[in-house]
Amino acid sequence: MLETQEKTLSTESTTRMNGAKAIMECLVHEGVELIYGYPGGAIMPVYDALYDYQDQVQHVLTRHEQGATHAAQGYARVTNKTGVVFATSGPGATNLVTGLADALIDSTPMVCITGQVFAKLLGTDAFQETDVISITMAVTKWNYQITKASEIPDVMAKAFYIANSGRPGPVIIDITKNAQLELLDFAYKKTTAIRSYNPIQKADENELTKAAELLNNAKKPYILFGQGVTLSGAETELKQLVEKSGIPAAWTILGLSAMETDHPLNVGMLGMHGNYAPNVLTNECDVLFAVGMRFDDRVTGKVDGYAPQAKVIHLDIDPSEINKIIEADVALVGDAKETLQRLLPLIEQNVHPEWLQQFKDLDQMEWDKVIEKEIQPKEGLITMGEVIHLINEETEGDHIIVTDVGQHQMVACRYAKFAKHRSNVTSGGLGTMGFALPAGLGAQMGAPDRCVIAVIGDGGFQMTIQELATIAQTKTPLKILILNNQFLGMVRQWQELFFDKRYSSVELENPDFQMISEGMGVPAILTKERASLKADIQKWLNHEGPCLLEVRVGKENNVFPMVPAGATVAEIRLD
């Protein structure tokens, strides 16, 4: 177990209680207001203790443990709080693995508490026993098994500190049943530091000076920003940097909404299905400043052909990300907000009109060849882009959009407009189909005063469709959008373009989504024709409670632009 330093926040006295109640007391001390979970035999004492805390902590019974993890992720992403999950041993715990992996790669703070068999039964293949620690080691920031009640306060305090410090991530605490039942003298010490764990480093002053010199002297400087901006709360500092320096800035899909999409220096989306100009001009900039992003392969394309001409400045809180994929000329290891605050006084006021015009010229090409036909089609079947465009018009960008994974995700990220921060929630690194419905539930509960829209494909929807019942039971006013093309659309697109249209196992014979949704207690609307689309969207958005809108879209429409596998970002295709 990690050793805690003296720097702690402590309660004044001890109280005798059992381990299960101690767990609830720890959660209250950490300010937890919401838990997603599913009970079972090995965690039953904790659920019994929960019964006495219903006026302090809300528990949401999801219909599957994976749904609980994604709901906790959605909640964490819009609130900047730590999501909390309860699950039982065995299959309950193993059902958390996908959500843990998703949270780890997307840096989402989450604490999962799983029950476990009695300590004396560990290793005996007892009923519903699995080695949760070994299974989850690769998909958590930290994990620990508690076998004695006396360990609970210290371990729980560390779990919350680790989950939401430095680069956030998921933690799992596995608690044997005897530890839940044993008595302890409870006193809580909130962890604020741990020996050997240094979650935040401070960027070197000399490196800051080098970064400023490069940016001030650049003719074609370029900023790429990711979710690190949002996680550190550096949105204001990023905007100040962009406006003072006059540098165009592009976003990863997890960076989306860190800067309002209509800002004149926000030049669009990076990556495989990103905008044309941000990709092509990556290979023409002379200085590239990456802020809170990790150069994922979907952003870089062919690595040895990625910005070979540019001096690279990389700012990230995680030192392991520096030089992992793209070699940095200047390495800024630190928190984005604090580092940008120190960098801003060193940056000179500047403008780059000719450089910015190159982005505008390529934007016009993309508009003419792709965007206009996608968001304002004059004939043919409904497109995904026009649905997102109409939603933009109705909400004026004042919404939170939670996306699943597939063509609809790329379309939503490309065309959704955002006026507020923390408005985009998606599964980025892991690409988890089934993410959006439960994550939308969590996001809506975390932001009850905002309109939250879950954008989902017909394939991914069926992976966690059971969470409709959770949404109905909690009366969460989530707006669910199914863009139904009767295919696993992204796989089909690749099969069309690169496998000679050999459509192998991608066509879906879907159930009646409207009937299923209404059977689970969520009203539903089906739209098949463009003539009724706008009115149906208005009716759906104006419904007071949860509501599902299914829109039948073209079956074989493709998402462009696209960087083919093995190509450089400059080889992005418009068709």
Side-chain angles (χ1 to χ4, degrees):
M1 184 168 63
L2 296 170
E3 183 180 350
T4 308
Q5 291 178 340
E6 292 300 318
K7 192 176 179 183
T8 57
L9 303 175
S10 176
T11 54
E12 293 295 326
S13 59
T14 62
T15 306
R16 195 75 170 163
M17 63 182 67
N18 70 13
K21 184 175 181 181
I23 291 166
M24 293 307 306
E25 283 292 321
C26 293
L27 297 178
V28 170
H29 278 84
E30 290 291 342
V32 174
E33 300 172 337
L34 186 60
I35 300 166
Y36 296 94
Y38 205 99
I43 201 171
M44 205 172 293
V46 174
Y47 272 88
D48 182 67
L50 172 66
Y51 189 87
D52 295 324
Y53 286 80
Q54 294 178 76
D55 59 338
Q56 295 171 270
V57 181
Q58 180 184 2
H59 178 273
V60 175
L61 175 62
T62 58
R63 297 311 190 257
H64 192 283
E65 292 88 354
Q66 181 181 343
T69 60
H70 295 328
Q73 286 178 271
Y75 174 82
R77 294 270 283 273
V78 301
T79 63
N80 199 29
K81 297 178 182 178
T82 301
V84 178
V85 174
F86 283 174
T88 195
S89 63
T94 59
N95 282 342
L96 303 180
V97 170
T98 298
L100 290 167
D102 196 289
L104 182 68
I105 199 166
D106 282 354
S107 305
T108 305
M110 184 163 64
V111 171
C112 295
I113 299 165
T114 54
Q116 184 56 276
V117 301
F118 284 89
K120 64 184 179 182
L121 296 176
L122 290 171
T124 68
D125 293 331
F127 177 67
Q128 290 194 333
E129 181 201 357
T130 55
D131 185 353
V132 174
I133 299 303
S134 295
I135 289 171
T136 61
M137 190 171 292
V139 293
T140 52
K141 189 177 178 184
W142 185 56
N143 64 10
Y144 187 84
Q145 186 174 75
I146 294 175
T147 58
K148 296 182 294 184
S150 59
E151 297 179 283
I152 289 172
D154 191 36
V155 173
M156 290 288 288
K158 288 172 181 154
F160 277 89
Y161 177 63
I162 291 169
N164 209 4
S165 59
R167 180 178 180 174
V171 170
I172 192 164
I173 304 301
D174 193 45
I175 308 179
T176 59
K177 198 166 184 179
N178 60 286
Q180 299 171 46
L181 297 170
E182 290 168 1
L183 296 177
L184 74 154
D185 292 319
F186 179 84
Y188 197 71
K189 296 179 180 180
K190 194 169 183 179
T191 299
T192 58
I194 297 173
R195 184 176 299 170
S196 79
Y197 173 57
N198 301 304
I200 300 178
Q201 298 183 38
K202 197 167 184 178
D204 182 81
E205 195 69 38
N206 290 331
E207 294 293 286
L208 274 174
T209 300
K210 291 177 187 177
E213 288 176 355
L214 284 173
L215 292 169
N216 289 335
N217 294 321
K219 302 300 182 185
K220 294 183 176 183
Y222 191 16
I223 292 173
L224 314 181
F225 62 92
Q227 189 183 207
V229 174
T230 298
L231 293 174
S232 67
E235 295 95 342
T236 298
E237 288 76 10
L238 173 69
K239 186 175 180 178
Q240 289 173 343
L241 173 66
V242 167
E243 292 179 345
K244 185 177 183 181
S245 65
I247 300 175
W251 37 267
T252 69
I253 64 168
L254 290 177
L256 176 57
S257 84
M259 179 185 290
E260 54 267 43
T261 47
D262 64 355
H263 191 284
L265 290 171
N266 186 337
V267 294
M269 174 174 152
L270 299 163
M272 181 174 284
H273 290 285
N275 293 111
Y276 190 59
N279 280 289
V280 169
L281 295 180
T282 296
N283 281 17
E284 292 190 25
C285 68
D286 55 2
V287 175
L288 188 153
F289 185 16
V291 183
M293 53 88 73
R294 57 187 180 83
F295 291 111
D296 175 83
D297 61 287
R298 290 299 173 103
V299 165
T300 64
K302 186 179 180 182
V303 173
D304 60 8
Y306 183 81
Q309 77 296 334
K311 295 289 186 182
V312 175
I313 307 165
H314 193 179
L315 165 56
D316 202 285
I317 199 168
D318 185 351
S320 71
E321 293 295 346
I322 306 294
N323 298 326
K324 186 173 82 174
I325 298 171
I326 300 298
E327 195 75 20
D329 295 279
V330 177
L332 302 175
V333 180
D335 174 76
K337 186 179 183 73
E338 189 269 345
T339 305
L340 291 179
Q341 286 174 342
R342 292 167 60 203
L343 179 64
L344 272 164
L346 307 177
I347 297 298
E348 298 171 357
Q349 194 80 33
N350 209 341
V351 291
H352 301 278
E354 294 179 1
W355 174 228
L356 191 60
Q357 188 61 46
Q358 289 187 244
F359 285 89
K360 293 177 181 178
D361 291 344
L362 294 180
D363 284 345
Q364 187 62 51
M365 289 177 57
E366 184 179 353
W367 171 268
D368 294 340
K369 293 202 72 172
V370 179
I371 298 176
E372 184 176 25
K373 292 179 286 187
E374 178 66 26
I375 70 173
Q376 297 175 352
K378 299 188 170 49
E379 58 185 7
L381 299 173
I382 297 172
T383 68
M384 294 183 184
E386 72 177 303
V387 179
I388 301 301
H389 179 64
L390 288 171
I391 291 171
N392 289 333
E393 290 184 345
E394 294 298 322
T395 64
E396 297 181 343
D398 186 16
H399 51 215
I400 293 172
I401 289 186
V402 183
T403 46
D404 213 78
V405 173
Q407 286 181 316
H408 64 278
Q409 176 191 35
M410 295 296 101
V411 169
C413 289
R414 281 175 52 78
Y415 298 122
K417 303 296 183 183
F418 294 107
K420 294 183 178 179
H421 305 318
R422 288 192 177 272
S423 296
N424 169 59
V425 179
T426 193
S427 174
L430 195 65
T432 305
M433 292 179 66
F435 173 84
L437 188 62
L441 163 69
Q444 184 68 82
M445 297 186 83
D449 297 328
R450 297 188 65 187
C451 172
V452 179
I453 300 169
V455 182
I456 315 175
D458 46 317
F461 181 57
Q462 293 177 77
M463 289 191 170
T464 51
I465 195 170
Q466 68 274 7
E467 300 307 336
L468 282 171
T470 311
I471 292 164
Q473 183 172 344
T474 56
K475 298 180 174 58
T476 304
L478 177 67
K479 300 300 181 281
I480 304 156
L481 172 64
I482 310 301
L483 294 174
N484 183 357
N485 61 7
Q486 300 171 68
F487 269 112
L488 299 177
M490 189 60 80
V491 181
R492 185 213 58 76
Q493 177 169 335
W494 276 66
Q495 289 177 344
E496 176 188 338
L497 297 177
F498 307 116
F499 292 88
D500 299 322
K501 294 189 176 182
R502 290 161 59 88
Y503 291 166
S504 177
S505 302
V506 289
E507 190 162 11
L508 294 167
E509 292 187 8
N510 289 318
D512 187 327
F513 293 135
Q514 188 175 9
M515 183 179 292
I516 290 173
S517 184
E518 291 176 347
M520 289 192 178
V522 176
I525 302 167
L526 173 62
T527 303
K528 297 181 180 180
E529 304 296 334
R530 180 170 288 115
S532 64
L533 179 59
K534 185 172 183 177
D536 287 343
I537 287 174
Q538 291 172 336
K539 180 181 177 182
W540 167 66
L541 289 173
N542 291 331
H543 186 83
E544 288 190 6
C547 190
L548 181 146
L549 173 65
E550 176 191 350
V551 181
R552 299 282 175 86
V553 297
K555 290 185 65 174
E556 297 186 67
N557 292 347
N558 290 327
V559 183
F560 285 103
M562 179 180 184
V563 179
T568 69
V569 289
E571 296 172 304
I572 188 169
R573 292 171 49 176
L574 282 170
D575 52 28

